[in-house]
Structures are given as C-alpha cells and as structure tokens.
C-alpha cells in the first residue's frame, strides 16, 4: 500500500529541484521536464543552470547558495510568487572522502552546512506554503536526497555519512508529522551513481548507475507513492540486510569487502 499519494501525471505540475546543476538533480529535472512538468532548477552555478534552461525550453533557473538562509528564503518567495509548488526536492550535496586519521574540521563543517543546514533552510522557507497548498486541496510533496551511506558507518565516510544519517532521520520525522496533514514526504537513498561527487572515490563502486538511471528510479518511486526510494535494488537490498547485523559482524564484513 503506497505511503504517499501517487503522482501519475506530471503535466503542469510545478516542481523545484534544489541542487540540480549536475548529477542526479539535473537528470531528474530533465526527466520531469520531458514528462511535462513546469521545472525550476536551482544551485549556485548560474552558468550551468542557464545551460539547462537553453536545453529545456520553458524551464526556469534560480541561482542561490543553500548555506545562506536569507538567500534561500528570498528564492522561495520568488518561486512561490508564481503559484503553489507541487514538488520540492532537495538534492544539493557535498562529499569529500575522509577518515579519522586525517580529520579536517572545516571540511566536516562544510558537509554539515550544505547537506544538513541547507536542507533545513529550504524546509523553513517552503513548509508553510506546502501546508497551505494541502489545506487548499492540493497534494504537495517534499523529497530529500540522502544516501545509503547514512544507514551505517562506512570507510572514508566520516564527514559525509553522518549528514546523510541526519537527513534520513529528518525525512522520517517529517513524514510522521506532515503526511496526516496532506503533504507527501519521500526519502531518496541512492547507491553509487556516476556524478562529479563519486569521481572522488578511489575504490571500485559496485552497481554503479548513470544519473539518468537514478532519475528513472526516483521518478518511478514518486509515481508509485513510495516513501523510501533506494536503488539499485540488488545492491541496496544487500546493504539493508547488512545494517541489521550485530556490530561485530557488520564491521568485520565491511573490512573484508573494502580491504580498508
């Protein structure tokens, strides 16, 4: 049974993807545009957003920095001035491999600022309008892109993993609070996807997907009304089983698989 209302027709739906200058966000924006949605893409890089608009006529671009709460609030005001939003997806993210023997505090905090604080800035800016839309009879939807790295500790994920764990918990709490009020909430937990972020990895990434494949999985999940969207299934399902293991077995298995 779906936990969210299924989105079966994208035509005319007003969607805002934040963190869509490249990777998964850009691919999702392109797919929804092809499905007839009214797409707005946001990120810091104005030039990349302009490229998207040129390639996808009718789409819009709005550049800002998610770590700046005032800039986020101003962008949300501008976006909402044109009408209510049907989908807000936070897919902005920052990743740099890190282990405890090379701890870098500024880099740790940068992960927190973009991956967590940015999401909170967006939430504060759009949530009142989403609740208003639900009260008016619409079915607005809020989606957060986290990662399977947030399920349990992984090598080189000292900075990244905790921020994605925070987003997972945030999405679960949002669902409990907002779904009864008519606002859909979903959580996206990708496995490895070939993006500018994962090119920093020096190890072999199993079941690596293209951004386009990831976008197909995400949109399919929204269309089916799912809460958690994790993919590819053959890889993430194994990780789901691993996170249920006692810590002794889990840590031993991770070390054996990664060699780290």
């Amino acid at each position: 049974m779906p936990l969210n209302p299924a989105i079966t027709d994208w035509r005319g739906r007003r969607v805002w993807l934040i963190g869509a200058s490249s990777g998964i966000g850009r691919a999702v924006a392109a797919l929804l545009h092809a499905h007839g949605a009214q797409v707005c893409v946001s990120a810091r890089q104005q030039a990349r957003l302009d490229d998207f608009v040129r390639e996808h006529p009718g789409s819009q671009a709005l550049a800002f920095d998610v770590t700046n709460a005032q800039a986020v609030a101003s962008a949300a005001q501008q976006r909402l001035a044109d009408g209510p939003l049907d989908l807000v997806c936070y897919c902005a993210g920052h990743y740099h491999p890190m282990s405890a023997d090379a701890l870098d505090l500024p880099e740790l905090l940068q992960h927190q600022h973009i991956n967590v604080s940015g999401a909170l800035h967006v939430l504060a800016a759009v949530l009142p309008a989403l609740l208003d839309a639900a009260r008016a009879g619409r079915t607005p939807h809020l989606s957060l892109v986290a990662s399977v790295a947030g399920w349990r500790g992984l090598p080189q994920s000292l900075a990244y993993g905790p921020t994605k764990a925070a987003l997972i918990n945030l999405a679960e709490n949002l669902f409990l609070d907002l779904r009864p009020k008519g606002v859909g909430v979903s959580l996206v937990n990708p496995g490895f996807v070939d993006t500018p972020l994962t090119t920093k990895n020096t190890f072999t990434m199993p079941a690596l997907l293209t951004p386009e494949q990831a976008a197909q999985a995400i949109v399919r999940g929204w269309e089916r009304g799912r809460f958690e969207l994790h993919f590819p299934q053959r890889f993430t399902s194994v990780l789901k089983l691993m996170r249920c293991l006692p810590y002794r077995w889990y840590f031993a298995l991770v070390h054996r698989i990664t060699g780290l």
Side-chain angles (χ1 to χ4, degrees):
M1 179 178 179
L3 293 178
N4 287 305
I7 306 174
T8 57
D9 188 355
W10 292 99
R11 290 173 296 179
R13 288 186 180 264
R14 302 186 70 246
V15 302
W16 190 17
L17 295 114
I18 301 158
S21 60
S22 63
I24 294 174
R26 191 183 193 283
V28 171
L31 183 56
L32 292 183
H33 179 269
H35 287 348
Q38 297 179 23
V39 174
C40 179
V41 291
S42 289
R44 288 176 299 172
Q45 303 94 335
Q46 183 70 60
R48 291 186 180 180
L49 298 178
D50 291 341
D51 288 342
F52 182 89
V53 171
R54 279 193 295 270
E55 295 170 12
H56 302 85
S59 61
Q60 296 177 303
L62 192 55
F64 62 91
D65 185 343
V66 296
T67 67
N68 184 326
Q70 186 174 352
V72 174
S74 177
Q77 264 190 328
Q78 185 176 339
R79 195 74 194 102
L80 290 164
D82 295 331
L85 294 167
D86 296 298
L87 170 71
V88 178
C89 179
Y90 188 79
C91 41
H94 179 68
Y95 167 64
H96 185 78
M98 186 185 300
S99 57
D101 58 353
L103 189 145
D104 181 337
L105 180 58
E107 188 62 47
L108 277 169
L109 293 175
Q110 183 72 346
H111 282 74
Q112 294 288 333
H113 294 328
I114 295 174
N115 297 354
V116 180
S117 295
L120 296 179
H121 292 158
V122 170
L123 179 63
V126 303
L127 186 53
L130 296 181
L131 287 167
D132 286 344
R135 284 190 286 266
R138 301 179 73 97
T139 54
H141 191 101
L142 175 68
S143 190
L144 301 179
V145 178
S147 168
V148 296
W151 283 347
R152 260 192 165 178
L154 293 170
Q156 299 184 0
S157 194
L158 181 69
Y160 185 72
T163 65
K164 295 304 182 177
L167 286 183
I168 290 170
N169 192 274
L170 176 62
E172 292 170 350
N173 280 283
L174 287 171
F175 180 87
L176 290 171
D177 289 346
L178 296 179
R179 184 65 194 91
K181 299 181 184 299
V183 179
V185 177
S186 60
L187 167 65
V188 182
N189 283 327
F192 292 112
V193 181
D194 187 10
T195 70
L197 295 185
T198 57
T199 58
K200 300 174 184 178
N201 289 332
T202 57
F203 53 86
T204 299
M205 293 176 280
L208 184 67
L209 298 181
T210 65
E212 291 73 25
Q213 289 173 315
Q216 290 280 355
I218 292 170
V219 172
R220 185 165 57 247
W222 288 333
E223 291 174 344
R224 294 177 178 175
R226 291 173 55 193
F227 166 70
E228 186 188 11
L229 291 57
H230 62 90
F231 51 85
Q233 291 289 327
R234 65 186 184 280
F235 174 62
T236 56
S237 295
V238 170
L239 290 182
K240 268 192 170 258
L241 290 173
M242 285 177 61
R243 70 175 178 166
C244 297
L245 294 173
Y247 281 118
R248 178 188 300 273
W249 297 352
Y250 173 77
F251 290 143
L253 186 57
V254 168
H255 283 305
R256 181 168 183 176
I257 291 173
T258 64
L260 298 173

